[in-house]
Amino acid sequence: MRRRGVAQNSALTLAGDVASKAGALVVVLIAARSLAEHEFATVATGLATAALLTSLLDLGAGTLLARDGARDEDSRGSLFRALAEARAPAAIVVLAAGPVVGLALGQPLTGLAVGALAVAGGVALSLFGLYRSGQDIRPEALQRLACAITSVVSVALCCFFVSRADAVLAALALSSLTTLAVLGVAARRVADFARAIEPRKALLRAAPIGALALATVAYYRSGTLALAAIAGPHETAVFTVAASVAFGLLMLPNAITNALLPRLSAESERDPLIASARRALVWTVALATVVSVTAAAIAPAALPLFLGEQYADAAGPFALLCLGLPAIAASGVIGTALLSVGRLRPLAVQVACTLAVNLVALALLVPALGAAGASLATVLCELAGLGLLVNMSRRELPGLLELRHPAFRARVAARRAAAQ
């Protein structure tokens, strides 16, 4: 298997991420435009539930594979095999419980589709980690592109012929599993699966990373789940449209963040690392601010035009979410900088506190404000998270948040010393 450089893999990661997020956004827009409001609310709830189950099934395996499987083919193959064996019972439980839970809710096919979508997501994260450990992101990028195209086409066909939530969710699961099959077949080219290690030990190594990822996914999906439980289909659908478009706008800032981690990790000296992170922070926040202000201004006219008058109410929640985009962008850069120097504990504290703020805010705001309350809760938790990261970065990465360039400060200090 070919090993690619950091620059090539960063570009491939960006291409795959853009294709995946763009495809997901188009799917949401097609479903919102084509399905009845209660059916679209079911799709939104199913996607949020599948995302949480995916993170639970992965349990940090993908990240652990990318990190600890990089030594050789034997290391990544044995680790992949052990993690697959350890998590297989959980995947079987999810597939079996899906239709049972769905039947209790009067939608057995929806439950089965959500379970299949979650298992597909868990498989995807593990296979991505396996290929990343071989330092070649090209297969992952191609799969994401193929899955995005297949998902958009299949969902469009479903909405045209069937117009049911369970059909849309099943189409998404089938698209993911079909395109992942190619990666699975080719996995023997990048790893040696002959040796086995103890599954329990492998799972314990992955669990801390998985807990951090699960908490992050939870507070991004909690608004949809809270609305589905407390409010009604209209509020759930409105928030899903607003959140899908708003978070889709983060593709450009995320591109900077995705390329930043390998760049910072390659730095052996602290000063160049701080300088690179500071430049990325300035550009990311500037781009996010311009994008969010522009999008909030055109949303009242654009959302009803493209999605129909029933989603005109999404403009308010969308504008609130736009307020939080610069904070999300800034948190991404600061968090990436902390991760590059191995500061996992501060990140765990930040994620836990942010999730707690989010859940409390949802409980207080959603019953009274509906979709707007869920958006406001998201903004409040992001601002709280950013505040924590700012405080942590002052201790862990001094100089990151200083406005003046280090060279300018050095000149000022030299002049003062000369004057004295």
Side-chain angles (χ1 to χ4, degrees):
M1 180 179 180
R2 177 182 176 183
R3 292 195 173 196
R4 301 178 189 274
V6 173
Q8 286 181 307
N9 279 328
S10 296
L12 288 166
T13 301
L14 172 59
D17 193 46
V18 169
S20 181
K21 285 183 170 57
L25 179 59
V26 172
V27 163
V28 168
L29 295 179
I30 291 173
R33 184 74 179 181
S34 306
L35 298 179
E37 194 172 68
H38 70 280
E39 292 285 352
F40 178 64
T42 300
V43 170
T45 306
L47 290 174
T49 304
L52 285 174
L53 291 174
T54 291
S55 185
L56 184 62
L57 290 174
D58 174 62
L59 201 62
T63 303
L64 184 69
L65 279 163
R67 188 189 72 183
D68 292 0
R71 290 190 292 270
D72 51 52
E73 293 184 1
D74 179 70
S75 297
R76 68 181 71 110
S78 59
L79 185 58
F80 182 91
R81 177 179 170 181
L83 289 168
E85 291 175 0
R87 294 172 298 136
I92 294 172
V93 168
V94 168
L95 285 175
V100 175
V101 175
L103 184 62
L105 298 174
Q107 301 183 64
L109 294 180
T110 299
L112 178 60
V114 168
L117 193 58
V119 171
V123 171
L125 291 176
S126 293
L127 285 173
F128 291 167
L130 184 70
Y131 280 89
R132 288 174 186 176
S133 68
Q135 299 181 46
D136 185 8
I137 309 295
R138 184 173 179 268
E140 174 187 334
L142 290 174
Q143 186 277 334
R144 288 190 167 198
L145 176 60
C147 185
I149 295 172
T150 308
S151 297
V152 169
V153 173
S154 61
V155 167
L157 291 173
C158 283
C159 290
F160 183 78
F161 289 106
V162 184
S163 294
R164 284 172 44 182
D166 53 5
V168 169
L169 292 169
L172 291 173
L174 186 61
S175 298
S176 181
L177 289 170
T178 301
T179 53
L180 285 170
V182 179
L183 290 187
V185 170
R188 292 190 179 277
R189 290 166 36 200
V190 301
D192 182 358
F193 300 100
R195 188 172 68 91
I197 61 177
E198 187 176 343
R200 180 176 173 273
K201 291 182 178 179
L203 194 61
L204 289 175
R205 286 161 59 187
I209 302 172
L212 191 62
L214 179 61
T216 303
V217 173
Y219 74 72
Y220 274 119
R221 298 291 184 171
S222 58
T224 300
L225 296 175
L227 287 166
I230 299 173
H234 177 71
E235 295 295 326
T236 304
V238 163
F239 177 76
T240 299
V241 167
S244 298
V245 178
F247 294 144
L249 296 176
L250 288 169
M251 281 190 291
L252 188 55
N254 284 345
I256 298 176
T257 304
N258 289 336
L260 184 63
L261 180 58
R263 174 72 176 85
L264 297 183
S265 300
E267 291 287 356
S268 58
E269 300 293 333
R270 182 59 62 94
D271 287 345
L273 185 149
I274 296 295
S276 297
R278 187 191 298 110
R279 286 194 298 271
L281 181 62
V282 171
W283 278 105
T284 303
V285 173
L287 287 170
T289 301
V290 171
V291 169
S292 61
V293 170
T294 303
I298 66 175
L303 290 176
L305 177 64
F306 289 103
L307 299 177
E309 289 296 330
Q310 70 269 32
Y311 292 107
D313 294 346
F318 176 75
L320 287 173
L321 289 172
C322 285
L323 293 176
L325 295 185
I328 297 173
S331 295
V333 174
I334 298 173
T336 298
L338 289 169
L339 182 61
S340 71
V341 294
R343 299 297 188 265
L344 290 179
R345 181 171 294 180
L347 289 176
V349 171
Q350 184 261 348
V351 169
C353 292
T354 301
L355 178 59
V357 171
N358 182 237
L359 294 177
V360 171
L362 286 171
L364 295 175
L365 297 174
V366 165
L369 301 177
S375 296
L376 186 57
T378 301
V379 173
L380 290 175
C381 82
E382 290 298 342
L383 292 175
L386 178 59
L388 289 170
L389 285 176
V390 166
N391 184 55
M392 294 169 182
S393 67
R394 286 174 176 166
R395 297 195 309 268
E396 305 289 347
L397 298 169
L400 174 61
L401 301 177
E402 292 188 19
L403 298 178
R404 292 180 297 183
H405 194 275
F408 176 81
R409 296 198 309 272
R411 288 196 298 269
V412 171
R415 290 172 183 171
R416 288 177 178 173
Q420 293 174 355

